[in-house]
Amino acid sequence: MERVEELCHERPSGHAMNRPARLAVGVVSAGRVGSVLGAALARAGHTVVAASGISADSHRRAECLLPGVPLLPPDETVAAADLVLLAVPDDVLAGLVSGLAATGAWRAGQIVIHTSGAHGVSVLRPAAEAGALPLALHPVMTFTGREEDLQRMAACTVGVTAEPGNEAAWNVGEALTVEMGAEPVRVPEPARPLYHAALAHGANHLVTLVADCVDLLAGAGIAHPERMLGPLLSAALDNVLRHGDRALTGPVARGDTGTVRKHLDVLTDQTPDATDCYTVLARRTAERASAAGLLSRDDAAEITTLLEGPEDS
């Protein structure tokens, strides 16, 4: 794997990282993540030589972010590339890698990167068995597939996973991440499931929670509820990232059982679909507030009893 060895540079902690050799990049596929990372690699000086994409959205993204790059089938995209970027859904990844291996698409000296947060490098074993270097680079960011995402790369981290003990491979993953403008964070293979569950729980469920809040305010007749929520939720997010559980506020953290009862009554009456979510999160809030010393044991027990309801209690 002489080609790969050229890319690997040891670096002392805290020192600038050497730039990897210029690479021919193939993007499979040109979705929201693949098109942005492909553009970020091109901006770093690599050459995107091919991309794959079937949908009209993929074609549009390629025209915008990867101008002049031919759209080819996945096997032809892989054949043209030194670095293959697999930006496909989690459940599709294993079958795609195996299918490409069955066609003989992988070759020694290639770097094969996937962007899935849920998988480590073991899913790339068929490519590794052909002599390719497997890496997992998961950008901790949500993407729209538009040009502004390139600016977001400068503010995000990337979860990097390489084969255990292969320090050169880890360095390649970190170097490519830095070139794209992001900050690399090493995530060992066994930690990937919990790492991804934490990120999905925070980012994905936050969207659901905020969307529910917007709907509730709109149902209360509030015009432009997003304007009301923006400053409040931004402050709450900033506070919890700075102060952890000490940032907890509101009726549950204060032990205001009467207010929580009113919340449950109005939600059950007017928006029962949101009641279960409110109850689960309020119970978890009481647990955290109690553990942090913000809520007395008696108040926590009273809140919990109310939230469990008459049937459970």
Side-chain angles (χ1 to χ4, degrees):
M1 298 178 64
E2 295 179 0
R3 175 63 171 163
V4 170
E5 292 302 324
E6 292 175 3
L7 307 173
C8 304
H9 302 279
E10 298 287 341
R11 63 184 179 99
S13 177
H15 287 252
M17 188 178 299
N18 292 329
R19 298 172 66 87
R22 302 305 88 191
L23 299 167
V25 178
V27 179
V28 183
S29 63
R32 287 180 292 180
V33 176
S35 58
V36 171
L37 295 192
L41 288 168
R43 186 175 60 178
H46 302 289
T47 303
V48 181
V49 295
S52 68
I54 298 175
S55 70
D57 285 342
S58 293
H59 284 247
R60 177 184 53 78
R61 292 188 193 100
E63 289 175 0
C64 177
L65 292 170
L66 305 172
V69 174
L71 290 177
L72 303 175
D75 58 338
E76 294 182 28
T77 299
V78 170
D82 301 316
L83 186 157
V84 180
L85 184 66
L86 302 175
V88 297
D90 297 346
D91 292 346
V92 173
L93 182 59
L96 174 64
V97 176
S98 297
L100 288 168
T103 67
W106 305 118
R107 66 175 185 274
Q110 282 181 314
I111 299 173
V112 182
I113 296 172
H114 75 70
T115 61
S116 166
H119 294 287
V121 293
S122 60
V123 72
L124 298 176
R125 185 168 293 116
E129 289 173 349
L133 179 72
L135 290 171
L137 301 183
H138 173 242
V140 185
M141 181 57 65
T142 59
F143 291 112
T144 63
R146 295 192 290 265
E147 288 187 68
E148 57 263 31
D149 289 343
L150 287 170
Q151 305 307 316
R152 292 180 176 178
M153 287 294 295
C156 83
T157 59
V158 170
V160 178
T161 302
E163 292 178 322
N166 189 343
E167 188 64 20
W170 286 97
N171 286 340
V172 171
E174 291 173 331
L176 290 168
T177 297
V178 169
E179 283 202 330
M180 288 188 287
E183 178 185 355
V185 175
R186 293 192 177 195
V187 182
E189 177 110 8
R192 293 289 285 208
L194 184 57
Y195 152 85
H196 191 245
L199 297 176
H201 183 40
N204 303 156
H205 299 164
L206 177 63
V207 173
T208 301
L209 177 61
V210 174
D212 272 353
C213 292
V214 169
D215 291 345
L216 291 172
L217 287 170
I222 304 299
H224 307 296
E226 64 280 357
R227 296 181 187 174
M228 181 177 290
L229 286 170
L232 172 67
L233 299 184
S234 295
L237 179 59
D238 182 66
N239 286 340
V240 69
L241 292 177
R242 291 174 182 269
H243 307 296
D245 286 329
R246 305 300 299 182
L248 283 169
T249 62
V252 173
R254 292 193 300 265
D256 292 342
T257 307
T259 299
V260 175
R261 183 179 289 109
K262 290 180 180 179
H263 290 177
L264 292 174
D265 288 344
V266 71
L267 290 173
T268 300
D269 180 56
Q270 298 189 28
T271 56
D273 289 346
T275 306
D276 287 345
C277 182
Y278 178 96
T279 300
V280 169
L281 290 177
R283 186 180 302 168
R284 183 63 178 143
T285 298
E287 293 171 353
R288 296 198 71 103
S290 179
L294 302 175
L295 185 65
S296 72
R297 184 173 300 178
D298 289 344
D299 285 342
E302 186 176 357
I303 289 282
T304 300
T305 299
L306 171 63
L307 293 169
E308 288 175 348
E311 293 183 2
D312 292 340
S313 61

